[in-house]
Amino acid sequence: MGFSTGRKPWRSEPFQEPSDEDRASKQKLFFFALAVIFLFGILTIQLARLQLVHGDKYRLRAETNRLRQEPVLPSRGLIYDKNGTPLVANRASYAAAVVAADVPDVDLSADPPACDEGCDQIAIALQELTGVPGGDIEAKILERAASNDPFTPAVIKGDLTEAQAFMLREKLAGLPGVRVIVEPERSYTQGATMGHILGFVGAINEDEYASLEASGYQLNDFVGKTGVELTYESILRGKAGVREVETDASGREIRILQEKPAVSGASLVLSIDLDLQKKVEELLRAAMGKSENAAAAVIDVHTGDVLAMVSLPTYDNNVFAIGGEANDRERVRLLTDPAKPMVDHAIAEMYAPGSTFKQVTGLAALQEGVANANTLITSYGYIQVEDEYTPGRKYTFKDWRSDLGTMNFYRGVAMSSDVYFYYLAGGYSEGGKDLFTGLGAAKLADWSRRFGLGSPTGIDLPGESAGIVPDPTWKEKQVGSVWTIGDTYNFGIGQGYLTTTPMQMLLVTAAVANGGDVLTPHVVKELRDSNGNTIKLARQTVKRNLNIDPRNLNVMREGMRQSVADGAAFTGASKNVVVGGKTGTAEFGPQHADGNYDSHGWFTGFAPFNDPQIAVVVYLQHGNGQGTAAPVASKIFDYYFRDKNLAQGATP
């Protein structure tokens, strides 16, 4: 008997093909599962990359977002004239800035880098608040974000008013990365009077930052651009401090953890006497006439202290130190003005010195034995020489007057006879016979260089020119032709290819006055630290001594005294002191239809005659030594010695 459960036996259902709908559902489920697996794979790889490959980097970034080291800028040193009058001031200025590292949605991986939504919103908000175009703001954010220092605030707009700064501060909570910072601003109390000497400070540029980054400078620092602000930048700046702060997620400061204070920069005490500087500027400006530029300077003949130095036209350095649309327009005007107000004509422009150079020719001739105090030379108003390369052709070199006659050395200097100095420089031949042997070009060039011509004086200001001391080798190389006797004649009277700066000629006169010391001039006398203690500057006052026989120096000085007393430089005489001096009128530019040329006017001199204290140089682009330059020097001597109450030097 069989066993039964009471149920019907199982039997399989007939096989049915899955429907299209079932197949589609299963396929969708498969691809969905595959996508999930793929996405989780990517996330796993990314997590591994973040944790294992870049873990240290992002851990440091996260810590930096919480703890930051911020520089504490030092107070810039002040600048005073020799009498303690302040010439600069420091004040605080508000600026709108962004910290690129704290601005959201900055996409540096894009090509080119781009601001996404959050960054765009910051730029738009700042545009409304500051007026700076949003595109410029985005560019600044991206530039700083891509730099090595995305945590240093990038200034969007400076010189905010207090009202603008307060309004912006109210909105900072909704503007991550935006800051209101306080910037130091330099103010120049004397404006254009001290423009070239002081210079100005400005925002650091890329090249400056590249060279100064190692010294602790930041991307938003200000540095000296010209004048003593540039020369003494490292001294004026001081030493930056640092503070460690705790920040929130948006980079805003929560609290200061510790701080190392900044060390203020040292202050400069100039050798410039501000009252004298103003007087020299006033006198020079009144005498300019049609001159586009002019220069004058006063120096202590023993120390190299520059007591006054004026270059016209000048400029107000506040225009470059302080922002604003009006100053922007003025900067453009200054930089495009054909009179070159940004150039210090006392040290940076080169001119033919004219007869002021006869100090060099005369002393060289005395020291080399070419002449002595009693050497007699007759001027008939000109000298004629034969062409060295074309027989029968003669050239005429004129004197400035036709009635000078026979002169000894004193009167040759006093009357500034060109013929006398043609002889001293190049000699004289007639009919193939040498009647007088002069210095020659090589010796004259050598003595010029001994006096410091042809090289910078070493003054503590940037932008100085070296000038040109020509010789036969120089002419062949630079001009492409041979040296002639005419070149030597022109050289001997301070014309031709010779060029100098007014400061160089001032130092020539100072060397004549002080016994042969070629000085290194300077406009900074001493330093003072932040506590007011004086710091002496280690400097070389005397570059070299000329080793000229004192008797020869006395002969030249006496010739220069006679020049002012009753000679060509009589308009340089002072009512208060006896002056020794030399005028100069140097031709330049193209010849006019009447055969004449435009001329520079020069005067260099020293006083008191028996105990020289100061030397003065005056240069006027258009004019002449006797008529325009010497009268300015006369008034400078009058002013200086009247106010200083120095006794008048007695004539020998």
Side-chain angles (χ1 to χ4, degrees):
M1 169 172 185
F3 179 78
S4 173
T5 61
R7 297 178 182 175
K8 292 182 180 181
W10 177 89
R11 75 183 167 198
S12 61
E13 296 291 331
F15 175 77
Q16 294 182 356
E17 286 287 333
S19 67
D20 291 341
E21 184 177 345
D22 290 338
R23 277 196 298 269
S25 297
K26 290 179 180 180
Q27 194 174 30
K28 287 179 182 178
L29 184 61
F30 171 78
F31 283 116
F32 176 75
L34 189 63
V36 169
I37 294 171
F38 180 73
L39 289 174
F40 271 99
I42 291 176
L43 290 174
T44 301
I45 293 171
Q46 177 69 354
L47 181 62
R49 188 180 71 86
L50 293 176
Q51 293 290 339
L52 301 177
V53 181
H54 297 295
D56 291 341
K57 172 184 174 182
Y58 289 106
R59 198 161 34 249
L60 178 61
R61 179 175 294 182
E63 185 66 16
T64 305
N65 282 337
R66 188 176 69 83
L67 298 178
R68 292 186 184 175
Q69 284 191 336
E70 296 181 347
V72 179
L73 296 181
S75 176
R76 194 171 181 85
L78 300 177
I79 306 175
Y80 303 89
D81 91 323
K82 67 177 296 184
N83 301 312
T85 303
L87 305 175
V88 302
N90 295 326
R91 71 181 185 89
S93 173
Y94 296 108
V98 292
V99 177
D102 297 328
V103 175
D105 299 332
V106 176
D107 187 1
L108 292 179
S109 64
D111 187 18
C115 267
D116 290 339
E117 183 178 356
C119 179
D120 284 336
Q121 291 174 355
I122 297 294
I124 292 170
L126 276 177
Q127 175 179 282
E128 293 174 353
L129 291 167
T130 65
V132 177
D136 293 347
I137 296 172
E138 288 191 3
K140 178 73 75 172
I141 293 172
L142 293 171
E143 176 188 358
R144 188 58 59 86
S147 74
N148 293 328
D149 191 5
F151 294 98
T152 297
V155 174
I156 300 301
K157 183 176 182 180
D159 296 304
L160 298 180
T161 64
E162 288 191 14
Q164 288 174 318
F166 182 76
M167 182 186 304
L168 184 56
R169 277 196 175 121
E170 285 186 323
K171 300 180 181 297
L172 289 182
L175 298 173
V178 178
R179 304 284 185 273
V180 175
I181 64 173
V182 178
E183 290 186 307
E185 189 168 85
R186 198 74 151 170
S187 173
Y188 299 95
T189 63
Q190 303 302 317
T193 296
M194 294 292 295
H196 290 107
I197 296 173
L198 296 181
F200 55 87
V201 296
I204 194 169
N205 61 38
E206 290 183 7
D207 292 338
E208 291 165 337
Y209 178 67
S211 63
L212 295 172
E213 181 183 7
S215 301
Y217 282 75
Q218 304 293 315
L219 282 167
N220 58 348
D221 265 334
F222 286 78
V223 297
K225 298 289 187 178
T226 61
V228 296
E229 292 276 28
L230 172 57
T231 304
Y232 293 89
E233 165 64 27
S234 61
I235 291 171
L236 287 164
R237 171 180 166 78
K239 188 175 181 180
V242 65
R243 63 177 186 164
E244 189 172 281
V245 299
E246 185 177 359
T247 64
D248 61 17
S250 64
R252 292 188 179 84
E253 181 182 306
I254 298 174
R255 62 190 175 113
I256 299 174
L257 301 178
Q258 60 181 354
E259 182 172 358
K260 179 183 177 182
V263 178
S264 298
S267 295
L268 307 182
V269 179
L270 304 187
S271 57
I272 300 293
D273 183 323
L274 182 60
D275 291 336
L276 180 63
Q277 177 82 2
K278 290 179 177 178
K279 190 65 177 180
V280 172
E281 180 185 5
E282 172 193 325
L283 296 172
L284 190 63
R285 194 178 296 279
M288 282 187 72
K290 63 178 183 177
S291 295
E292 286 189 324
N293 49 66
V298 183
I299 196 171
D300 184 312
V301 300
H302 300 293
T303 66
D305 286 358
V306 178
L307 306 176
M309 189 172 74
V310 175
S311 172
L312 296 177
T314 183
Y315 68 96
D316 184 348
N317 31 20
N318 289 300
V319 169
F320 290 87
I322 301 173
E325 292 184 6
N327 283 345
D328 289 344
R329 291 192 296 270
E330 178 63 8
R331 284 194 288 270
V332 173
R333 187 196 69 79
L334 288 170
L335 293 169
T336 56
D337 188 337
K340 297 181 285 189
M342 299 297 296
V343 174
D344 188 341
H345 299 285
I347 63 171
E349 287 274 71
M350 305 180 295
Y351 312 99
S355 293
T356 60
F357 179 75
K358 290 173 181 175
Q359 297 170 90
V360 177
T361 306
L363 275 171
L366 292 171
Q367 192 66 19
E368 293 288 342
V370 169
N372 58 50
N374 298 314
T375 297
L376 299 177
I377 295 174
T378 301
S379 171
Y380 298 104
Y382 63 92
I383 187 173
Q384 279 193 330
V385 296
E386 291 188 1
D387 189 308
E388 301 161 80
Y389 306 101
T390 308
R393 178 184 293 177
K394 291 187 176 183
Y395 294 100
T396 300
F397 295 85
K398 294 182 179 180
D399 213 327
W400 73 280
R401 275 175 56 169
S402 60
D403 58 349
L404 295 178
T406 301
M407 297 162 284
N408 63 11
F409 188 91
Y410 297 117
R411 296 314 291 171
V413 173
M415 299 310 297
S416 196
S417 168
D418 289 339
V419 165
Y420 198 97
F421 283 85
Y422 292 151
Y423 272 74
L424 298 186
Y428 181 67
S429 300
E430 191 174 282
K433 183 178 180 181
D434 290 339
L435 301 180
F436 190 95
T437 301
L439 285 163
K443 282 186 179 179
L444 187 53
D446 177 61
W447 274 98
S448 300
R449 296 186 183 105
R450 291 193 214 179
F451 271 94
L453 305 183
S455 60
T457 68
I459 192 170
D460 50 349
L461 289 170
E464 185 181 15
S465 294
I468 296 172
V469 172
D471 59 24
T473 301
W474 177 91
K475 186 182 179 185
E476 277 195 37
K477 183 177 180 180
Q478 299 297 326
V479 182
S481 59
V482 296
W483 188 271
T484 67
I485 186 64
D487 292 323
T488 306
Y489 284 166
N490 284 324
F491 189 4
I493 64 169
Q495 298 212 165
Y497 300 109
L498 175 70
T499 61
T500 67
T501 68
M503 178 56 67
Q504 287 175 323
M505 293 314 302
L506 180 62
L507 296 181
V508 168
T509 300
V512 172
N514 66 27
D517 285 339
V518 178
L519 303 174
T520 300
H522 52 267
V523 296
V524 173
K525 189 177 183 67
E526 63 187 26
L527 310 179
R528 288 181 187 163
D529 65 20
S530 56
N531 296 317
N533 300 314
T534 298
I535 306 170
K536 290 292 183 182
L537 280 166
R539 56 160 50 107
Q540 181 184 12
T541 300
V542 179
K543 188 177 295 185
R544 72 181 69 87
N545 186 275
L546 295 168
N547 294 318
I548 294 177
D549 189 323
R551 291 170 296 182
N552 291 332
L553 284 167
N554 286 335
V555 170
M556 175 56 71
R557 283 195 288 260
E558 172 59 17
M560 293 173 72
R561 184 199 68 78
Q562 291 184 23
S563 182
V564 175
D566 61 357
F570 73 95
T571 53
S574 168
K575 296 176 290 187
N576 302 300
V577 68
V578 175
V579 175
K582 193 74 198 65
T583 52
T585 302
E587 296 176 338
F588 74 95
Q591 188 176 27
H592 297 306
D594 60 3
N596 294 320
Y597 295 84
D598 289 329
S599 61
H600 302 307
W602 288 84
F603 177 89
T604 60
F606 63 89
F609 175 73
N610 272 354
D611 182 22
Q613 300 298 317
I614 65 167
V616 173
V617 65
V618 176
Y619 162 81
L620 290 159
Q621 180 197 27
H622 289 285
N624 61 76
Q626 186 182 94
T628 56
V632 175
S634 169
K635 294 180 177 69
I636 292 173
F637 284 124
D638 284 347
Y639 175 82
Y640 184 88
F641 288 104
R642 181 178 63 246
D643 285 7
K644 300 295 181 183
N645 295 315
L646 294 180
Q648 179 176 347
T651 58

